[in-house]
Amino acid sequence: MSLGPLRRSRTAVLGVIIFVLVLVFYVPWELPSSVKDRRIPGLSRANVAQLARDSKVKVDELYGLLRVVTSQDTGNTLTENPELDPSSPINWDVYAAGDSSVNWRKEVARLNKEYPVIVFSKTYCPYSKRAKQLLRTYKIRPPPKVIEVDTRSDGDVIKALLTRLTGHSTFPNVIIQGKSIGGSDNLHELHSSGNLEKLIKDTGAKVKKTPSNPAQ
């Protein structure tokens, strides 16, 4: 059998490999604007693979924030520094606190089960107190997770993130299985219409007592 075609095939493959190496290492190139707009600190060729992995995550970014604020590690906060821009999408590694083993789809399922109702509150806010009072009358199990934003060092970052991710910039901000239902007035409207109990039960949480009158 003639070795001519085989040699030509090997030469063609070698040529393609050389072309790719030259393109990657010697030809200037830029990341697409859609990637650069993510404004991830330290963006370089070295972490392009990380970005590719992140792009496959089809999870609402709000769950990243929920993971941080419900962490049992009280030191797990969103660092306030000039490189962290809460007005833009944040690298999932930040929400994972550097834990590359986090499976975000499993995290969503866990957070929905363990913390079906989460309230972002401020300790001195009368509207927050009113919302928490109403939720207490429902005797929800598992009980609502209350995040007192004003007692956290990353409170300003959390506020900015909530504004971007939920469109609700004031407190309280009531989250039911990853969806913001708004603040105290919205919560009481749902209660008065009789829809709040169903909304809570639909999460799988238990309501041990339905209040007969709205909390004022």
Side-chain angles (χ1 to χ4, degrees), residues 111-170:
L111 289 165
N112 282 343
K113 181 179 180 180
E114 294 183 11
Y115 307 104
V117 181
I118 297 176
V119 182
F120 288 90
S121 166
K122 287 194 172 182
T123 56
Y124 56 82
C125 172
Y127 298 101
S128 294
K129 291 178 181 178
R130 184 168 177 254
K132 289 181 288 187
Q133 178 185 349
L134 174 58
L135 288 172
R136 280 195 295 269
T137 64
Y138 276 79
K139 298 187 182 301
I140 304 167
R141 292 293 180 273
K145 176 71 173 180
V146 178
I147 311 299
E148 300 294 3
V149 177
D150 58 307
T151 66
R152 295 177 60 100
S153 62
D154 55 357
D156 289 341
V157 174
I158 291 176
K159 176 178 171 59
L161 281 171
L162 286 172
T163 300
R164 174 168 65 83
L165 297 174
T166 71
H168 188 74
S169 60
T170 59

Side-chain angles (χ1 to χ4, degrees), residues 53 67 76 91-102 104:
R53 187 187 71 185
R67 182 182 192 273
N76 189 6
N91 192 330
W92 286 94
D93 276 354
V94 174
Y95 292 124
D99 183 357
S100 60
S101 67
V102 174
W104 283 103

